[in-house]
Amino acid sequence: MKVSDILRVKGGTLFTVSPDQPLGEAMKTMAEHDIGSLVVMEHGELVGMLTFRECIQAVVANGGSVGRTIVRTVMDPAPLTCTLETEIDEVRRMMLGRHARYMPVMNQRTLMGVISFYDVAKAVVESQDFENRMLKAYIRDWPVGDEPAQAS
């Protein structure tokens, strides 16, 4: 299974933010759309990733307030990325290795979508459920009785 399979099911809605946008506005966008991340884009290029983790850290560091903080000062400037052709097992390893919950999907320099650890886990479980059903059906349909006797 590849990243393209997840995006095909998930759909292509993308939410982005400018690096010079106030953090409060970015957080409002995340809350309004019930999303945990925003891809930070500047002049059509991926320049970072903003997740609820960076938002919480910024609020705590600022004494419980967002203040005048801008996205650029708190975003992850080097997020993990993958392509449409990346295998899900590889994405899972990458996300676990960096404790990343969100990953932009790129086609060269074009943003194609964002996948979450939830999306990856759901795809793996659905794949395993399908395989399990196929194996059970195969076992259930196993021919019984009409086997030729084996010569000794």
Side-chain angles (χ1 to χ4, degrees), residues 24-138:
E25 286 180 23
M27 291 172 66
K28 183 178 178 188
T29 298
M30 293 167 75
E32 286 173 351
H33 297 286
D34 192 27
I35 55 175
S37 70
L38 291 168
V39 180
V40 185
M41 302 289 286
E42 186 172 45
H43 308 296
E45 299 283 324
L46 170 75
V47 294
M49 190 77 173
L50 179 70
T51 71
F52 59 87
R53 179 183 291 155
E54 288 85 23
C55 294
I56 291 169
Q57 289 171 342
V59 168
V60 169
N62 202 33
S65 167
V66 175
R68 297 179 172 270
T69 307
I70 61 170
V71 170
R72 182 183 309 277
T73 62
V74 298
M75 70 182 192
D76 175 357
L80 287 173
T81 63
C82 61
T83 70
L84 293 169
E85 296 301 310
T86 307
E87 294 285 338
I88 296 304
D89 286 341
E90 178 62 19
V91 170
R92 189 170 49 178
R93 278 190 286 281
M94 292 166 64
M95 292 177 108
L96 284 170
R98 273 260 304 262
H99 297 261
R101 290 184 178 97
Y102 302 93
M103 185 181 292
V105 180
M106 305 297 290
N107 183 5
Q108 295 181 1
R109 300 181 93 151
T110 304
L111 178 64
M112 304 303 291
V114 175
I115 59 172
S116 68
F117 196 78
Y118 172 84
D119 298 328
V120 173
K122 181 180 172 193
V124 168
V125 167
E126 287 173 355
S127 175
Q128 289 172 344
D129 286 348
F130 176 75
E131 185 176 309
N132 193 0
R133 284 193 309 275
M134 292 295 102
L135 287 170
K136 285 180 180 178
Y138 179 75

